[in-house]
Short mmCIF file of all heavy atoms in Angstrom, two decimals:
data_model
loop_
_atom_site.label_atom_id
_atom_site.label_comp_id
_atom_site.label_asym_id
_atom_site.label_seq_id
_atom_site.Cartn_x
_atom_site.Cartn_y
_atom_site.Cartn_z
N MET K 1 -8.56 -18.99 4.69
CA MET K 1 -8.97 -18.34 3.48
C MET K 1 -8.31 -19.07 2.30
O MET K 1 -7.16 -19.43 2.36
CB MET K 1 -8.56 -16.89 3.49
CG MET K 1 -9.02 -16.11 2.28
SD MET K 1 -8.92 -14.34 2.46
CE MET K 1 -7.28 -14.02 1.88
N THR K 2 -9.04 -19.20 1.25
CA THR K 2 -8.56 -19.84 0.03
C THR K 2 -7.64 -18.85 -0.73
O THR K 2 -7.88 -17.66 -0.75
CB THR K 2 -9.72 -20.23 -0.89
OG1 THR K 2 -10.60 -21.09 -0.16
CG2 THR K 2 -9.26 -20.92 -2.15
N GLU K 3 -6.59 -19.39 -1.31
CA GLU K 3 -5.67 -18.55 -2.05
C GLU K 3 -6.32 -18.02 -3.32
O GLU K 3 -7.05 -18.72 -4.02
CB GLU K 3 -4.43 -19.39 -2.44
CG GLU K 3 -3.38 -18.61 -3.15
CD GLU K 3 -2.15 -19.46 -3.46
OE1 GLU K 3 -1.92 -20.46 -2.76
OE2 GLU K 3 -1.48 -19.12 -4.42
N LEU K 4 -6.05 -16.77 -3.64
CA LEU K 4 -6.59 -16.15 -4.85
C LEU K 4 -5.70 -16.48 -6.03
O LEU K 4 -4.46 -16.39 -5.95
CB LEU K 4 -6.64 -14.63 -4.72
CG LEU K 4 -7.69 -14.10 -3.74
CD1 LEU K 4 -7.42 -12.63 -3.46
CD2 LEU K 4 -9.05 -14.28 -4.33
N LYS K 5 -6.31 -16.86 -7.11
CA LYS K 5 -5.56 -17.10 -8.36
C LYS K 5 -5.24 -15.77 -9.01
O LYS K 5 -5.89 -14.77 -8.73
CB LYS K 5 -6.39 -18.01 -9.29
CG LYS K 5 -6.57 -19.40 -8.72
CD LYS K 5 -7.35 -20.26 -9.67
CE LYS K 5 -7.50 -21.68 -9.04
NZ LYS K 5 -8.19 -22.55 -9.98
N PRO K 6 -4.26 -15.73 -9.92
CA PRO K 6 -3.93 -14.47 -10.59
C PRO K 6 -5.07 -14.04 -11.51
O PRO K 6 -5.98 -14.81 -11.86
CB PRO K 6 -2.70 -14.80 -11.42
CG PRO K 6 -2.47 -16.25 -11.32
CD PRO K 6 -3.37 -16.82 -10.32
N CYS K 7 -5.05 -12.80 -11.95
CA CYS K 7 -6.06 -12.27 -12.84
C CYS K 7 -6.08 -13.10 -14.14
O CYS K 7 -5.02 -13.32 -14.73
CB CYS K 7 -5.72 -10.82 -13.18
SG CYS K 7 -6.91 -10.10 -14.39
N PRO K 8 -7.24 -13.53 -14.59
CA PRO K 8 -7.32 -14.34 -15.79
C PRO K 8 -7.08 -13.56 -17.06
O PRO K 8 -6.86 -14.12 -18.12
CB PRO K 8 -8.76 -14.87 -15.76
CG PRO K 8 -9.52 -13.87 -14.96
CD PRO K 8 -8.56 -13.37 -13.95
N PHE K 9 -7.04 -12.24 -16.98
CA PHE K 9 -6.82 -11.41 -18.16
C PHE K 9 -5.34 -10.97 -18.30
O PHE K 9 -4.81 -10.99 -19.39
CB PHE K 9 -7.75 -10.20 -18.17
CG PHE K 9 -9.17 -10.59 -18.30
CD1 PHE K 9 -9.96 -10.63 -17.17
CD2 PHE K 9 -9.72 -10.92 -19.51
CE1 PHE K 9 -11.30 -11.04 -17.26
CE2 PHE K 9 -11.05 -11.30 -19.62
CZ PHE K 9 -11.84 -11.36 -18.51
N CYS K 10 -4.74 -10.50 -17.21
CA CYS K 10 -3.38 -9.97 -17.30
C CYS K 10 -2.37 -10.81 -16.53
O CYS K 10 -1.17 -10.60 -16.69
CB CYS K 10 -3.34 -8.52 -16.86
SG CYS K 10 -3.58 -8.29 -15.09
N GLY K 11 -2.82 -11.72 -15.68
CA GLY K 11 -1.91 -12.57 -14.92
C GLY K 11 -1.31 -11.97 -13.65
O GLY K 11 -0.51 -12.62 -12.98
N SER K 12 -1.69 -10.74 -13.31
CA SER K 12 -1.13 -10.12 -12.11
C SER K 12 -1.79 -10.67 -10.85
O SER K 12 -2.83 -11.34 -10.91
CB SER K 12 -1.25 -8.61 -12.18
OG SER K 12 -2.60 -8.25 -12.04
N GLU K 13 -1.18 -10.38 -9.69
CA GLU K 13 -1.72 -10.81 -8.43
C GLU K 13 -3.08 -10.16 -8.17
O GLU K 13 -3.42 -9.11 -8.76
CB GLU K 13 -0.77 -10.41 -7.30
CG GLU K 13 0.49 -11.19 -7.28
CD GLU K 13 1.35 -10.79 -6.06
OE1 GLU K 13 0.80 -10.72 -4.96
OE2 GLU K 13 2.54 -10.59 -6.28
N ALA K 14 -3.83 -10.74 -7.26
CA ALA K 14 -5.14 -10.24 -6.89
C ALA K 14 -5.20 -10.08 -5.38
O ALA K 14 -4.43 -10.73 -4.65
CB ALA K 14 -6.23 -11.16 -7.37
N TYR K 15 -6.08 -9.25 -4.90
CA TYR K 15 -6.27 -9.10 -3.45
C TYR K 15 -7.75 -8.85 -3.14
O TYR K 15 -8.50 -8.37 -4.00
CB TYR K 15 -5.39 -8.02 -2.86
CG TYR K 15 -5.69 -6.64 -3.34
CD1 TYR K 15 -6.54 -5.81 -2.61
CD2 TYR K 15 -5.13 -6.12 -4.49
CE1 TYR K 15 -6.82 -4.52 -3.03
CE2 TYR K 15 -5.41 -4.84 -4.90
CZ TYR K 15 -6.25 -4.04 -4.18
OH TYR K 15 -6.52 -2.77 -4.60
N LEU K 16 -8.14 -9.13 -1.93
CA LEU K 16 -9.50 -8.95 -1.47
C LEU K 16 -9.67 -7.55 -0.92
O LEU K 16 -8.81 -7.02 -0.20
CB LEU K 16 -9.82 -9.97 -0.35
CG LEU K 16 -11.25 -10.00 0.12
CD1 LEU K 16 -12.17 -10.55 -0.98
CD2 LEU K 16 -11.34 -10.91 1.34
N ASP K 17 -10.77 -6.90 -1.30
CA ASP K 17 -11.08 -5.54 -0.81
C ASP K 17 -12.60 -5.49 -0.52
O ASP K 17 -13.30 -6.47 -0.72
CB ASP K 17 -10.69 -4.50 -1.86
CG ASP K 17 -10.39 -3.14 -1.25
OD1 ASP K 17 -10.68 -2.92 -0.04
OD2 ASP K 17 -9.91 -2.27 -1.96
N TYR K 18 -13.06 -4.34 -0.07
CA TYR K 18 -14.47 -4.18 0.28
C TYR K 18 -15.03 -2.88 -0.29
O TYR K 18 -14.30 -1.89 -0.36
CB TYR K 18 -14.66 -4.20 1.79
CG TYR K 18 -14.29 -5.51 2.39
CD1 TYR K 18 -12.98 -5.79 2.72
CD2 TYR K 18 -15.21 -6.52 2.53
CE1 TYR K 18 -12.61 -7.03 3.25
CE2 TYR K 18 -14.88 -7.79 3.06
CZ TYR K 18 -13.58 -8.01 3.40
OH TYR K 18 -13.23 -9.25 3.90
N THR K 19 -16.27 -2.88 -0.75
CA THR K 19 -16.90 -1.66 -1.29
C THR K 19 -16.92 -0.58 -0.18
O THR K 19 -16.99 -0.89 1.01
CB THR K 19 -18.31 -1.93 -1.78
OG1 THR K 19 -19.14 -2.44 -0.73
CG2 THR K 19 -18.33 -2.89 -2.95
N SER K 20 -16.87 0.67 -0.60
CA SER K 20 -16.84 1.76 0.37
C SER K 20 -18.24 2.26 0.75
O SER K 20 -18.36 3.20 1.56
CB SER K 20 -16.01 2.91 -0.19
OG SER K 20 -16.58 3.39 -1.41
N ASP K 21 -19.27 1.66 0.18
CA ASP K 21 -20.64 2.06 0.54
C ASP K 21 -21.05 1.42 1.85
O ASP K 21 -20.27 0.71 2.48
CB ASP K 21 -21.61 1.75 -0.59
CG ASP K 21 -21.65 0.27 -0.93
OD1 ASP K 21 -21.05 -0.55 -0.18
OD2 ASP K 21 -22.28 -0.07 -1.91
N ASN K 22 -22.28 1.60 2.25
CA ASN K 22 -22.76 1.05 3.52
C ASN K 22 -22.83 -0.49 3.50
O ASN K 22 -22.80 -1.11 4.58
CB ASN K 22 -24.14 1.60 3.85
CG ASN K 22 -24.08 3.05 4.24
OD1 ASN K 22 -23.03 3.54 4.69
ND2 ASN K 22 -25.18 3.76 4.10
N ALA K 23 -22.91 -1.09 2.36
CA ALA K 23 -22.98 -2.55 2.26
C ALA K 23 -21.65 -3.19 2.63
O ALA K 23 -21.61 -4.32 3.11
CB ALA K 23 -23.42 -2.99 0.88
N HIS K 24 -20.53 -2.53 2.35
CA HIS K 24 -19.19 -3.02 2.68
C HIS K 24 -19.00 -4.49 2.21
O HIS K 24 -18.63 -5.35 2.94
CB HIS K 24 -18.93 -2.91 4.17
CG HIS K 24 -17.49 -2.93 4.54
ND1 HIS K 24 -16.60 -1.98 4.17
CD2 HIS K 24 -16.78 -3.86 5.24
CE1 HIS K 24 -15.40 -2.29 4.61
NE2 HIS K 24 -15.47 -3.41 5.26
N ARG K 25 -19.34 -4.73 0.94
CA ARG K 25 -19.29 -6.07 0.36
C ARG K 25 -17.91 -6.40 -0.17
O ARG K 25 -17.22 -5.55 -0.72
CB ARG K 25 -20.31 -6.23 -0.73
CG ARG K 25 -21.72 -6.18 -0.18
CD ARG K 25 -22.70 -6.51 -1.25
NE ARG K 25 -24.00 -6.60 -0.64
CZ ARG K 25 -24.90 -7.46 -1.03
NH1 ARG K 25 -24.66 -8.29 -2.00
NH2 ARG K 25 -26.09 -7.49 -0.46
N PRO K 26 -17.51 -7.66 -0.02
CA PRO K 26 -16.17 -8.06 -0.53
C PRO K 26 -16.14 -8.22 -2.02
O PRO K 26 -17.13 -8.58 -2.66
CB PRO K 26 -15.95 -9.40 0.16
CG PRO K 26 -17.32 -9.97 0.40
CD PRO K 26 -18.20 -8.77 0.64
N TYR K 27 -14.99 -7.94 -2.58
CA TYR K 27 -14.72 -8.18 -3.98
C TYR K 27 -13.23 -8.40 -4.15
O TYR K 27 -12.44 -8.06 -3.26
CB TYR K 27 -15.23 -7.04 -4.86
CG TYR K 27 -14.54 -5.72 -4.67
CD1 TYR K 27 -13.55 -5.30 -5.56
CD2 TYR K 27 -14.88 -4.86 -3.63
CE1 TYR K 27 -12.93 -4.07 -5.41
CE2 TYR K 27 -14.26 -3.66 -3.47
CZ TYR K 27 -13.29 -3.26 -4.34
OH TYR K 27 -12.66 -2.06 -4.17
N VAL K 28 -12.81 -8.95 -5.27
CA VAL K 28 -11.41 -9.20 -5.54
C VAL K 28 -10.93 -8.23 -6.60
O VAL K 28 -11.63 -7.94 -7.56
CB VAL K 28 -11.20 -10.66 -5.99
CG1 VAL K 28 -9.74 -10.91 -6.30
CG2 VAL K 28 -11.66 -11.63 -4.90
N VAL K 29 -9.75 -7.70 -6.40
CA VAL K 29 -9.17 -6.69 -7.29
C VAL K 29 -7.90 -7.23 -7.94
O VAL K 29 -7.05 -7.81 -7.29
CB VAL K 29 -8.82 -5.42 -6.49
CG1 VAL K 29 -8.19 -4.39 -7.40
CG2 VAL K 29 -10.04 -4.86 -5.82
N CYS K 30 -7.77 -6.98 -9.21
CA CYS K 30 -6.55 -7.24 -9.96
C CYS K 30 -5.60 -6.08 -9.64
O CYS K 30 -5.93 -4.92 -9.81
CB CYS K 30 -6.88 -7.28 -11.44
SG CYS K 30 -5.49 -7.09 -12.53
N LYS K 31 -4.39 -6.37 -9.13
CA LYS K 31 -3.45 -5.32 -8.78
C LYS K 31 -3.03 -4.44 -9.97
O LYS K 31 -2.67 -3.29 -9.77
CB LYS K 31 -2.20 -5.90 -8.08
CG LYS K 31 -2.47 -6.37 -6.69
CD LYS K 31 -1.21 -6.79 -6.02
CE LYS K 31 -1.51 -7.20 -4.58
NZ LYS K 31 -0.30 -7.60 -3.88
N GLN K 32 -3.02 -4.95 -11.14
CA GLN K 32 -2.63 -4.18 -12.32
C GLN K 32 -3.80 -3.52 -13.01
O GLN K 32 -3.62 -2.79 -13.95
CB GLN K 32 -1.91 -5.09 -13.34
CG GLN K 32 -0.57 -5.57 -12.89
CD GLN K 32 0.48 -4.49 -12.93
OE1 GLN K 32 0.24 -3.33 -13.27
NE2 GLN K 32 1.69 -4.83 -12.56
N GLY K 33 -5.03 -3.81 -12.57
CA GLY K 33 -6.21 -3.34 -13.26
C GLY K 33 -6.26 -1.85 -13.59
O GLY K 33 -6.68 -1.44 -14.65
N CYS K 34 -5.80 -1.04 -12.68
CA CYS K 34 -5.87 0.42 -12.91
C CYS K 34 -4.76 0.88 -13.87
O CYS K 34 -4.78 2.00 -14.33
CB CYS K 34 -5.76 1.16 -11.58
SG CYS K 34 -4.22 0.88 -10.70
N MET K 35 -3.78 0.00 -14.15
CA MET K 35 -2.68 0.39 -15.01
C MET K 35 -2.84 -0.06 -16.45
O MET K 35 -2.04 0.29 -17.31
CB MET K 35 -1.39 -0.17 -14.44
CG MET K 35 -1.06 0.37 -13.08
SD MET K 35 0.42 -0.38 -12.49
CE MET K 35 0.29 -0.05 -10.76
N LEU K 36 -3.85 -0.83 -16.76
CA LEU K 36 -4.05 -1.35 -18.10
C LEU K 36 -4.95 -0.38 -18.91
O LEU K 36 -5.77 0.30 -18.36
CB LEU K 36 -4.71 -2.72 -18.08
CG LEU K 36 -3.92 -3.84 -17.44
CD1 LEU K 36 -4.77 -5.10 -17.37
CD2 LEU K 36 -2.66 -4.11 -18.21
N THR K 37 -4.76 -0.35 -20.21
CA THR K 37 -5.61 0.42 -21.09
C THR K 37 -6.12 -0.50 -22.19
O THR K 37 -5.31 -0.98 -22.97
CB THR K 37 -4.84 1.60 -21.74
OG1 THR K 37 -4.27 2.36 -20.69
CG2 THR K 37 -5.74 2.49 -22.56
N PRO K 38 -7.39 -0.79 -22.25
CA PRO K 38 -8.46 -0.36 -21.34
C PRO K 38 -8.29 -1.05 -20.00
O PRO K 38 -7.60 -2.04 -19.90
CB PRO K 38 -9.72 -0.79 -22.05
CG PRO K 38 -9.33 -1.98 -22.87
CD PRO K 38 -7.91 -1.70 -23.29
N PRO K 39 -8.97 -0.52 -18.95
CA PRO K 39 -8.85 -1.12 -17.62
C PRO K 39 -9.28 -2.59 -17.60
O PRO K 39 -10.12 -3.01 -18.37
CB PRO K 39 -9.82 -0.29 -16.76
CG PRO K 39 -10.01 0.98 -17.52
CD PRO K 39 -9.84 0.65 -18.96
N CYS K 40 -8.61 -3.33 -16.73
CA CYS K 40 -8.92 -4.76 -16.59
C CYS K 40 -10.39 -4.92 -16.19
O CYS K 40 -10.82 -4.30 -15.25
CB CYS K 40 -8.03 -5.35 -15.51
SG CYS K 40 -8.35 -7.07 -15.19
N PRO K 41 -11.16 -5.76 -16.86
CA PRO K 41 -12.58 -5.92 -16.55
C PRO K 41 -12.80 -6.60 -15.18
O PRO K 41 -13.92 -6.58 -14.68
CB PRO K 41 -13.11 -6.82 -17.66
CG PRO K 41 -11.93 -7.49 -18.22
CD PRO K 41 -10.77 -6.57 -18.01
N MET K 42 -11.78 -7.13 -14.59
CA MET K 42 -11.94 -7.81 -13.29
C MET K 42 -11.77 -6.82 -12.13
O MET K 42 -11.92 -7.20 -10.97
CB MET K 42 -10.91 -8.91 -13.12
CG MET K 42 -11.01 -9.99 -14.18
SD MET K 42 -12.60 -10.80 -14.20
CE MET K 42 -12.42 -11.90 -12.85
N SER K 43 -11.48 -5.57 -12.34
CA SER K 43 -11.13 -4.66 -11.26
C SER K 43 -12.25 -3.71 -10.86
O SER K 43 -12.02 -2.81 -10.08
CB SER K 43 -9.91 -3.83 -11.65
OG SER K 43 -10.20 -3.02 -12.76
N HIS K 44 -13.48 -3.91 -11.32
CA HIS K 44 -14.57 -3.00 -10.97
C HIS K 44 -15.34 -3.55 -9.78
O HIS K 44 -16.06 -4.54 -9.90
CB HIS K 44 -15.50 -2.84 -12.17
CG HIS K 44 -16.42 -1.67 -12.01
ND1 HIS K 44 -17.48 -1.69 -11.16
CD2 HIS K 44 -16.40 -0.45 -12.56
CE1 HIS K 44 -18.11 -0.55 -11.23
NE2 HIS K 44 -17.46 0.25 -12.06
N PRO K 45 -15.28 -2.87 -8.62
CA PRO K 45 -15.89 -3.42 -7.38
C PRO K 45 -17.38 -3.55 -7.42
O PRO K 45 -17.94 -4.39 -6.75
CB PRO K 45 -15.46 -2.43 -6.30
CG PRO K 45 -15.14 -1.16 -7.03
CD PRO K 45 -14.63 -1.60 -8.38
N TYR K 46 -18.09 -2.71 -8.16
CA TYR K 46 -19.55 -2.78 -8.10
C TYR K 46 -20.14 -3.76 -9.11
O TYR K 46 -21.33 -4.02 -9.10
CB TYR K 46 -20.15 -1.38 -8.23
CG TYR K 46 -19.74 -0.56 -7.02
CD1 TYR K 46 -18.67 0.32 -7.09
CD2 TYR K 46 -20.38 -0.72 -5.82
CE1 TYR K 46 -18.28 1.02 -5.96
CE2 TYR K 46 -19.98 -0.04 -4.68
CZ TYR K 46 -18.93 0.82 -4.76
OH TYR K 46 -18.54 1.49 -3.66
N LEU K 47 -19.30 -4.31 -9.97
CA LEU K 47 -19.78 -5.37 -10.84
C LEU K 47 -19.55 -6.76 -10.21
O LEU K 47 -20.27 -7.68 -10.48
CB LEU K 47 -19.04 -5.31 -12.18
CG LEU K 47 -19.30 -4.11 -13.06
CD1 LEU K 47 -18.41 -4.20 -14.31
CD2 LEU K 47 -20.77 -4.07 -13.47
N TRP K 48 -18.51 -6.84 -9.41
CA TRP K 48 -18.07 -8.15 -8.88
C TRP K 48 -18.04 -8.17 -7.36
O TRP K 48 -17.07 -8.52 -6.76
CB TRP K 48 -16.69 -8.50 -9.42
CG TRP K 48 -16.59 -8.38 -10.90
CD1 TRP K 48 -15.81 -7.52 -11.61
CD2 TRP K 48 -17.27 -9.17 -11.89
NE1 TRP K 48 -15.96 -7.71 -12.97
CE2 TRP K 48 -16.84 -8.74 -13.15
CE3 TRP K 48 -18.16 -10.24 -11.82
CZ2 TRP K 48 -17.30 -9.29 -14.34
CZ3 TRP K 48 -18.64 -10.78 -13.01
CH2 TRP K 48 -18.21 -10.29 -14.24
N ASN K 49 -19.10 -7.70 -6.68
CA ASN K 49 -19.13 -7.78 -5.23
C ASN K 49 -20.11 -8.84 -4.76
O ASN K 49 -21.09 -9.14 -5.43
CB ASN K 49 -19.36 -6.42 -4.57
CG ASN K 49 -20.77 -5.86 -4.82
OD1 ASN K 49 -21.73 -6.28 -4.21
ND2 ASN K 49 -20.87 -4.92 -5.75
N TYR K 50 -19.83 -9.43 -3.60
CA TYR K 50 -20.58 -10.61 -3.09
C TYR K 50 -20.94 -10.39 -1.64
O TYR K 50 -20.47 -9.48 -0.99
CB TYR K 50 -19.71 -11.84 -3.30
CG TYR K 50 -19.43 -12.10 -4.75
CD1 TYR K 50 -18.32 -11.52 -5.38
CD2 TYR K 50 -20.29 -12.84 -5.53
CE1 TYR K 50 -18.11 -11.70 -6.74
CE2 TYR K 50 -20.09 -13.02 -6.88
CZ TYR K 50 -18.98 -12.45 -7.47
OH TYR K 50 -18.78 -12.60 -8.82
N LYS K 51 -21.79 -11.27 -1.13
CA LYS K 51 -22.24 -11.18 0.23
C LYS K 51 -21.17 -11.64 1.25
O LYS K 51 -21.08 -11.14 2.34
CB LYS K 51 -23.52 -11.98 0.45
CG LYS K 51 -24.72 -11.35 -0.22
CD LYS K 51 -25.97 -12.14 0.04
CE LYS K 51 -27.12 -11.49 -0.68
NZ LYS K 51 -28.37 -12.20 -0.44
N THR K 52 -20.38 -12.62 0.86
CA THR K 52 -19.35 -13.16 1.77
C THR K 52 -17.98 -13.17 1.10
O THR K 52 -17.89 -13.20 -0.15
CB THR K 52 -19.67 -14.60 2.18
OG1 THR K 52 -19.54 -15.48 1.09
CG2 THR K 52 -21.07 -14.73 2.78
N THR K 53 -16.95 -13.16 1.90
CA THR K 53 -15.59 -13.26 1.42
C THR K 53 -15.39 -14.54 0.63
O THR K 53 -14.78 -14.54 -0.45
CB THR K 53 -14.61 -13.22 2.62
OG1 THR K 53 -14.79 -11.99 3.29
CG2 THR K 53 -13.17 -13.35 2.15
N GLU K 54 -15.93 -15.63 1.14
CA GLU K 54 -15.79 -16.94 0.47
C GLU K 54 -16.40 -16.90 -0.92
O GLU K 54 -15.84 -17.46 -1.85
CB GLU K 54 -16.39 -18.05 1.32
CG GLU K 54 -15.66 -18.29 2.61
CD GLU K 54 -16.00 -17.29 3.73
OE1 GLU K 54 -17.01 -16.55 3.62
OE2 GLU K 54 -15.21 -17.25 4.69
N ASP K 55 -17.59 -16.25 -1.04
CA ASP K 55 -18.23 -16.17 -2.35
C ASP K 55 -17.41 -15.36 -3.33
O ASP K 55 -17.30 -15.71 -4.50
CB ASP K 55 -19.63 -15.53 -2.21
CG ASP K 55 -20.67 -16.43 -1.54
OD1 ASP K 55 -20.39 -17.64 -1.43
OD2 ASP K 55 -21.71 -15.91 -1.17
N ALA K 56 -16.81 -14.26 -2.86
CA ALA K 56 -15.99 -13.43 -3.74
C ALA K 56 -14.78 -14.19 -4.24
O ALA K 56 -14.45 -14.15 -5.43
CB ALA K 56 -15.56 -12.16 -3.00
N ILE K 57 -14.10 -14.90 -3.35
CA ILE K 57 -12.93 -15.67 -3.73
C ILE K 57 -13.28 -16.79 -4.66
O ILE K 57 -12.61 -17.02 -5.69
CB ILE K 57 -12.19 -16.19 -2.46
CG1 ILE K 57 -11.62 -15.03 -1.68
CG2 ILE K 57 -11.11 -17.20 -2.85
CD1 ILE K 57 -11.09 -15.41 -0.31
N GLU K 58 -14.34 -17.51 -4.36
CA GLU K 58 -14.78 -18.63 -5.23
C GLU K 58 -15.12 -18.13 -6.63
O GLU K 58 -14.72 -18.72 -7.61
CB GLU K 58 -15.99 -19.34 -4.58
CG GLU K 58 -16.47 -20.49 -5.41
CD GLU K 58 -17.68 -21.19 -4.81
OE1 GLU K 58 -18.06 -20.87 -3.66
OE2 GLU K 58 -18.23 -22.04 -5.50
N ALA K 59 -15.85 -17.02 -6.71
CA ALA K 59 -16.26 -16.47 -8.03
C ALA K 59 -15.00 -16.05 -8.80
O ALA K 59 -14.91 -16.31 -9.98
CB ALA K 59 -17.21 -15.32 -7.84
N TRP K 60 -14.08 -15.37 -8.12
CA TRP K 60 -12.85 -14.94 -8.79
C TRP K 60 -12.08 -16.13 -9.31
O TRP K 60 -11.65 -16.15 -10.45
CB TRP K 60 -11.97 -14.12 -7.81
CG TRP K 60 -10.63 -13.81 -8.38
CD1 TRP K 60 -9.49 -14.53 -8.29
CD2 TRP K 60 -10.29 -12.64 -9.10
NE1 TRP K 60 -8.46 -13.89 -8.91
CE2 TRP K 60 -8.94 -12.72 -9.44
CE3 TRP K 60 -11.01 -11.54 -9.54
CZ2 TRP K 60 -8.28 -11.73 -10.18
CZ3 TRP K 60 -10.35 -10.54 -10.25
CH2 TRP K 60 -9.02 -10.65 -10.55
N ASN K 61 -11.87 -17.11 -8.49
CA ASN K 61 -11.09 -18.27 -8.88
C ASN K 61 -11.75 -19.08 -10.00
O ASN K 61 -11.05 -19.68 -10.80
CB ASN K 61 -10.78 -19.17 -7.69
CG ASN K 61 -9.74 -18.54 -6.79
OD1 ASN K 61 -9.00 -17.63 -7.16
ND2 ASN K 61 -9.65 -19.03 -5.55
N LYS K 62 -13.05 -19.04 -10.11
CA LYS K 62 -13.74 -19.75 -11.21
C LYS K 62 -13.52 -19.07 -12.54
O LYS K 62 -13.63 -19.70 -13.60
CB LYS K 62 -15.24 -19.84 -10.92
CG LYS K 62 -15.60 -20.92 -9.94
CD LYS K 62 -17.09 -21.00 -9.79
CE LYS K 62 -17.43 -22.11 -8.81
NZ LYS K 62 -18.88 -22.18 -8.59
N ARG K 63 -13.21 -17.77 -12.54
CA ARG K 63 -12.96 -17.03 -13.79
C ARG K 63 -11.59 -17.35 -14.34
O ARG K 63 -11.31 -17.09 -15.47
CB ARG K 63 -13.06 -15.54 -13.54
CG ARG K 63 -14.44 -15.09 -13.28
CD ARG K 63 -14.49 -13.59 -13.23
NE ARG K 63 -15.80 -13.19 -12.80
CZ ARG K 63 -16.07 -12.72 -11.59
NH1 ARG K 63 -15.13 -12.55 -10.70
NH2 ARG K 63 -17.30 -12.43 -11.25
N TYR K 64 -10.74 -17.90 -13.50
CA TYR K 64 -9.36 -18.20 -13.93
C TYR K 64 -9.37 -19.33 -14.93
O TYR K 64 -10.02 -20.35 -14.74
CB TYR K 64 -8.49 -18.57 -12.71
CG TYR K 64 -7.05 -18.76 -13.05
CD1 TYR K 64 -6.24 -17.69 -13.31
CD2 TYR K 64 -6.52 -20.07 -13.11
CE1 TYR K 64 -4.92 -17.87 -13.64
CE2 TYR K 64 -5.20 -20.23 -13.45
CZ TYR K 64 -4.39 -19.17 -13.72
OH TYR K 64 -3.09 -19.32 -14.03
N LYS K 65 -8.59 -19.20 -15.97
CA LYS K 65 -8.48 -20.25 -16.99
C LYS K 65 -7.05 -20.74 -17.04
O LYS K 65 -6.14 -19.97 -17.24
CB LYS K 65 -8.94 -19.70 -18.36
CG LYS K 65 -10.40 -19.37 -18.40
CD LYS K 65 -10.75 -18.94 -19.81
CE LYS K 65 -12.21 -18.65 -20.04
NZ LYS K 65 -13.08 -18.29 -19.05
N GLU K 66 -6.89 -22.05 -16.84
CA GLU K 66 -5.56 -22.64 -16.93
C GLU K 66 -5.09 -22.63 -18.36
O GLU K 66 -5.87 -22.76 -19.28
CB GLU K 66 -5.61 -24.09 -16.40
CG GLU K 66 -5.98 -24.19 -14.94
CD GLU K 66 -4.90 -23.80 -13.99
OE1 GLU K 66 -3.71 -23.76 -14.37
OE2 GLU K 66 -5.24 -23.47 -12.85
N ASP K 67 -3.79 -22.52 -18.57
CA ASP K 67 -3.23 -22.60 -19.94
C ASP K 67 -3.30 -23.99 -20.50
O ASP K 67 -3.26 -24.95 -19.85
CB ASP K 67 -1.75 -22.14 -19.94
CG ASP K 67 -1.67 -20.67 -19.68
OD1 ASP K 67 -2.60 -19.93 -20.01
OD2 ASP K 67 -0.60 -20.25 -19.13
#
């Protein structure tokens, strides 16, 4: 598995999770997302879910912006 880059908005760690519906699709979650006000835009599972784990990780890592 490819390493997940930190959240491009807040810099916190990220982890892979799966939607709780029947599709059980992978998405990446910002660990601090639920603690930010307003919530981190990267932490919503139904906006950022994919068919494969690899697709979810690749999409997440492409959002990352180097300083």
Side-chain angles (χ1 to χ4, degrees):
M1 183 165 90
T2 304
E3 183 178 335
L4 289 167
K5 294 182 179 182
C7 177
F9 295 99
C10 70
S12 71
E13 289 183 47
Y15 66 94
L16 187 67
D17 205 351
Y18 296 87
T19 59
S20 59
D21 60 8
N22 289 338
H24 199 66
R25 291 187 175 217
Y27 66 100
V28 178
V29 178
C30 162
K31 286 187 177 181
Q32 291 286 1
C34 61
M35 297 179 199
L36 296 175
T37 305
C40 177
M42 300 301 281
S43 64
H44 195 286
Y46 295 98
L47 293 176
W48 308 115
N49 67 77
Y50 297 88
K51 290 182 180 179
T52 68
T53 299
E54 293 79 15
D55 288 346
I57 293 170
E58 180 181 352
W60 174 270
N61 287 342
K62 281 184 180 178
R63 291 187 187 106
Y64 185 75
K65 294 184 175 25
E66 298 286 339
D67 290 332

